[in-house]
Amino acid sequence: MATPKNAAPTRAASAPALPVDPSLQHLQAEMSRLDAIMRRATLRAQVAGQDPADDLRGLRISDTEAGALARRPFGAHWAQTVMLAPAEEQAFASEESAARAAADQLIASARQSGVSLRLVRLAQTFSFSRFDLDVFLLCIAPALDLRYERLYGYLQDDVTRRRPTVGLMLDLLCEPGAQRLQWLSRFAADAPLFKHGLIERAADTTSASLMAQALRPDDAVVAWLLGHYQPDPRLNARLMPPAVSDADVILAGPVMASIGAIAASFGEEQPPVLAFHGPDASSQEATARWLAHGMERPLLAAQLPAIEGNGANVAEAVMMTLRDARLTGAVAFLGNWDAAVVDSGSSAAALGHVLDHPDLVILSSKGVWQAQGVERDRQVAWFEFAVPDFAQRRALWEHFLAEAGLALADDVDLTALAGQFQLTAARIRDTALSAR
């Protein structure tokens, strides 16, 4: 049947409604509070005589502007040199207060329901102050809504500055004057936001003065905050659910009794670092999966050589893995720890991150290493993973051949096969796959 010319266009079927994510509701409430702060700063800038329609604003300095700069009070943004009408100031203050109350109410409701809000978890895990939280939110804003890029350009009087600088942070979050300089310590390398790699300095401004340095968030942290965590590609990492396979049971069985005794003694104290070493890397990772499964937690497994091969500093990669383990609630497994002990400098820094991690860490290496260049009072529990013994090898041959879909011929003697070739689990698996 022909469609009438004047018929209303057929609307495409709308996407099915997604379940409400309380963490995103809370994030929106916190952003609404900062929106009120930025709207007030924008209006003040316009009252101060800044013309948002001037395409050359920020690209030239007139004589009049130069004189105004010379007369501006110390530690004050040009938007802070004017005051709005009392009614307008009160309206912005009320809007900010209402947004803060809404965020607090969401936190209280989530706590009562036993729901963990990701932004709250982030702030608590890394000991944020309110100032730290606001800095983090200002940094991630362009990743949530592109309008913030143009807004930052306007507020910084430079259309090319699409990320917030340290100076803009102080302008938005602090009163003018010398007292605001005390907050500069929150931008130091050992401050929570930078120590854990949650935000970083934009590459094109790292050589600028601190006030002029632009800041950007870590992409993996933003993805986690939005509910779809993916490890940084440089980490060569996998986040695995708390599950074990039949092969894991075969591989980990011989050492799980002794490791279980260590795990049972963790209690409320900081657990020891588990140092796995030996030629059988597959058994080491299988044991880590089994241990995480017993704790009903995921396993975040990263391989250090691939990190170094991609140009990232090994110590930084260790820090990023341990940070993500804390965010995801995972047990951290750092594979091929040998890459972290190539030189004393990287060894000390990488081990320092491990010893500072408040949770279980499992280090996997081929050889035995020594903790050099760093003082420690945390226990390191060593476990050796040699080539699987005869019984394990036979069980692994049987498992991997069946997994590869290969039926055993009558003339295949697994006993002789396991006895003649002393292979690691990975070599047995690869041989079975090659045979297929």
Side-chain angles (χ1 to χ4, degrees):
M1 180 182 295
T3 302
K5 290 184 178 180
N6 296 328
T10 302
R11 296 184 61 183
S14 58
L18 296 175
V20 175
D21 185 340
S23 289
L24 295 183
Q25 286 184 312
H26 174 241
L27 178 61
Q28 182 178 5
E30 291 288 1
M31 291 306 304
S32 296
R33 180 176 55 81
L34 288 183
D35 280 346
I37 295 174
M38 285 188 277
R39 280 196 291 272
R40 178 174 56 195
T42 301
L43 183 56
R44 282 179 173 178
Q46 294 168 356
V47 172
Q50 299 298 316
D51 181 9
D54 182 3
D55 292 336
L56 296 179
R57 193 174 66 85
L59 302 179
R60 65 182 180 184
I61 300 177
S62 64
D63 292 341
T64 301
E65 185 178 1
L69 286 171
R71 293 190 299 273
R72 184 189 302 172
F74 176 80
H77 188 257
W78 38 263
Q80 294 174 312
T81 60
V82 299
M83 289 295 294
L84 302 177
E88 290 176 318
E89 290 285 359
Q90 180 58 45
F92 282 119
S94 297
E95 183 180 354
E96 182 182 350
S97 178
R100 185 188 291 269
D104 290 342
Q105 179 59 46
L106 287 169
I107 293 174
S109 298
R111 185 180 297 116
Q112 187 174 9
S113 303
V115 175
S116 175
L117 300 179
R118 289 186 290 274
L119 186 60
V120 173
R121 177 183 176 90
L122 180 77
Q124 292 177 343
T125 298
F126 299 109
S127 303
F128 280 9
S129 65
R130 167 58 68 173
F131 182 83
D132 295 328
L133 178 61
D134 288 346
V135 166
F136 178 77
L137 291 172
L138 288 171
C139 285
I140 69 169
L144 309 179
D145 190 336
L146 288 177
R147 68 187 173 91
Y148 290 103
E149 290 189 346
R150 292 180 61 82
L151 184 58
Y152 289 155
Y154 176 76
L155 290 174
Q156 294 177 115
D157 198 23
D158 187 339
V159 295
T160 66
R161 290 189 173 184
R162 295 175 175 267
R163 296 190 181 277
T165 61
V166 173
L168 178 62
M169 306 277 191
L170 297 184
D171 293 336
L172 292 173
L173 303 177
C174 305
E175 294 297 325
Q179 291 300 314
R180 73 180 194 161
L181 298 180
Q182 66 182 327
W183 293 107
L184 288 177
S185 63
R186 307 307 291 179
F187 300 95
D190 59 351
L193 287 168
F194 294 90
K195 178 180 180 180
H196 303 288
L198 302 170
I199 62 175
E200 58 188 22
R201 307 179 204 284
D204 57 344
T205 64
T206 52
S207 61
S209 67
L210 178 58
M211 286 287 194
Q213 288 179 358
L215 305 179
R216 65 178 305 277
D218 181 89
D219 293 337
V221 175
V222 175
W224 170 83
L225 187 65
L226 298 181
H228 48 83
Y229 169 76
Q230 289 292 329
D232 189 299
R234 293 173 295 172
L235 294 182
N236 188 25
R238 295 165 296 148
L239 182 63
M240 293 175 278
V244 292
S245 66
D246 292 340
D248 291 338
V249 175
I250 299 171
L251 290 167
V255 296
M256 277 308 299
S258 55
I259 293 180
I262 294 290
S265 67
F266 290 170
E268 298 298 325
E269 299 180 359
Q270 188 179 45
V273 175
L274 300 185
F276 295 174
H277 67 97
D280 197 356
S282 295
S283 293
Q284 295 181 35
E285 186 171 316
T287 303
R289 281 194 295 269
W290 195 347
L291 186 57
H293 170 67
M295 301 171 70
E296 298 183 347
R297 295 171 55 187
L299 181 75
L300 182 60
Q303 296 295 321
L304 296 184
I307 301 170
E308 189 176 30
N310 278 289
N313 180 273
V314 171
E316 180 184 10
V318 170
M319 175 272 293
M320 293 167 60
T321 303
L322 297 179
R323 175 203 67 196
D324 289 4
R326 295 177 71 177
L327 290 176
T328 58
V331 174
F333 177 83
L334 295 168
N336 206 348
W337 181 254
D338 308 83
V341 293
V342 172
D343 64 81
S344 57
S346 63
S347 174
L351 187 58
H353 290 306
V354 170
L355 297 177
D356 287 342
H357 187 65
D359 203 348
L360 176 64
V361 186
I362 303 172
L363 307 180
S364 170
S365 64
K366 291 182 179 179
V368 177
W369 47 272
Q370 292 185 346
Q372 296 180 341
V374 58
E375 296 183 2
R376 65 178 178 89
D377 54 9
R378 187 174 180 181
Q379 178 187 359
V380 177
W382 293 86
F383 295 92
E384 182 177 7
F385 289 77
V387 173
D389 61 22
F390 168 78
Q392 278 184 289
R393 293 197 300 274
R394 192 186 190 289
L396 289 169
W397 275 114
E398 184 174 5
H399 171 79
F400 285 126
L401 286 171
E403 191 177 68
L406 298 176
L408 291 177
D410 294 337
D411 59 346
V412 175
D413 187 348
L414 289 183
T415 300
L417 191 63
Q420 184 175 358
F421 300 102
Q422 297 187 19
L423 303 179
T424 63
R427 292 289 302 277
I428 295 174
R429 180 197 60 219
D430 293 344
T431 303
L433 291 175
S434 298
R436 183 181 63 179

